[in-house]
Amino acid sequence: MSSNKFKNLFGLDETHVQKTCVLLPFLPKNILKNLKIDQLTQGKIYATGNNDNFTVIHTRIGASLCGDAVLYLKETKCENIIFLGTCGLTNKTDTLNIGSILCPESCLAMESFSQALTGQLPPDTYSHADKNFLNEFCNTANHQAPTIYKTKGVSFGSLKLEEHYIDYLKERNIEVVDMEGSALFTAATHIQRKAIAIMVVTDILNEKPFYNPITPTDQTIINTALKKSAEMISYLFL
């Protein structure tokens, strides 16, 4: 891929991409400050910035945008990919609730809107986080508070339809619902890079669904968890 093509898409020359990349589907308040990024440079699709230790890429929300970003990183010196985003729970538990910080070990691929709508689902296909990278991050992060929980997730292609599949997901012991995890892991495996996802719980299907207003208390809990997650990433690469 030509340097101009990458720079046009990402706003940064591919030679300036660092060994570790942090992907953000959206930009919560103060997240760049917490990641020690001064600013992002906007490309045609993605916006990118560097600190002394890693590159941050704002991918925007969605499996295709996340997966494509990872594929484009093949021609860079990136080796480690960390996705920092949010997710929903299929069910609240004694340990998992709003503001919990989770790392999916695997994600069931259900990104197809059409298949979810028609019910014509393919055989179960899972993609996986890099096991060694995940263990390294969790072991380092868990020396701090709060605890990181390893989970089993699904990447779903419709916010509306996911509620109709709750029993289907629970039968498969799926705890976490997101939109990008499966594409992230599949693309990273394809280009032979290590990838993990860090997700903060913002909603609970059928109990605190995404379309309900977030209470001030829950918003504070979520903001704190996102801040802690960013700090743990920074701490890992000091």
Side-chain angles (χ1 to χ4, degrees):
M1 180 171 56
S2 69
S3 180
N4 283 340
K5 181 177 182 180
F6 190 93
K7 187 172 183 178
N8 289 343
L9 289 168
F10 287 82
L12 182 76
D13 191 279
E14 64 188 48
T15 60
H16 294 160
V17 174
Q18 301 191 75
K19 181 178 176 180
T20 296
C21 289
V22 178
L23 308 188
L24 303 173
F26 65 104
L27 298 175
K29 184 178 179 181
N30 294 324
I31 197 68
L32 294 180
K33 178 182 177 181
N34 295 330
L35 289 167
K36 299 178 172 58
I37 298 290
D38 293 330
Q39 64 180 6
L40 299 179
T41 302
Q42 183 64 55
K44 183 72 173 180
I45 298 178
Y46 306 104
T48 312
N50 276 327
N51 62 24
D52 292 338
N53 300 305
F54 51 79
T55 297
V56 167
I57 302 172
H58 177 212
T59 63
R60 297 185 291 171
I61 295 171
S64 296
L65 288 170
C66 177
D68 281 351
V70 174
L71 294 180
Y72 282 123
L73 291 173
K74 181 179 181 180
E75 305 305 323
T76 74
K77 60 185 177 184
C78 174
E79 297 178 11
N80 309 310
I81 301 169
I82 302 174
F83 176 92
L84 175 57
T86 60
C87 64
L89 291 178
T90 56
N91 192 48
K92 182 175 69 175
T93 70
D94 291 340
T95 54
L96 303 182
N97 203 342
I98 298 294
S100 295
I101 303 175
L102 315 177
C103 282
E105 296 182 274
S106 62
C107 276
L108 175 64
M110 293 184 67
E111 298 114 313
S112 172
F113 179 93
S114 297
Q115 289 176 337
L117 180 60
T118 61
Q120 297 177 345
L121 301 176
D124 289 358
T125 302
Y126 290 87
S127 56
H128 302 270
D130 183 271
K131 185 176 180 179
N132 291 334
F133 189 24
L134 178 60
N135 288 337
E136 177 189 1
F137 175 79
C138 289
N139 290 339
T140 301
N142 283 335
H143 287 298
Q144 308 177 74
T147 301
I148 305 293
Y149 297 98
K150 296 179 183 178
T151 57
K152 184 178 181 181
V154 60
S155 294
F156 210 87
S158 168
L159 291 171
K160 176 176 174 55
L161 295 173
E162 65 185 13
E163 294 182 335
H164 300 286
Y165 282 88
I166 290 178
D167 290 340
Y168 179 91
L169 299 177
K170 289 181 178 179
E171 287 172 2
R172 287 157 175 76
N173 299 314
I174 301 292
E175 301 158 291
V176 179
V177 182
D178 77 281
M179 301 187 77
E180 296 92 1
S182 181
L184 168 78
F185 297 151
T186 302
T189 299
H190 182 77
I191 66 168
Q192 298 182 319
R193 300 298 195 273
K194 297 182 288 186
I196 61 172
I198 305 164
M199 299 183 182
V200 173
V201 176
T202 56
D203 57 273
I204 305 169
L205 275 65
N206 282 352
E207 181 177 337
K208 291 186 175 182
F210 73 92
Y211 47 80
N212 280 0
I214 299 176
T215 66
T217 298
D218 282 350
Q219 188 64 67
T220 298
I221 292 171
I222 291 167
N223 290 344
T224 299
L226 285 167
K227 180 176 184 290
K228 287 288 187 182
S229 298
E231 289 173 347
M232 285 187 287
I233 293 171
S234 296
Y235 179 80
L236 183 65
F237 295 101
L238 286 178

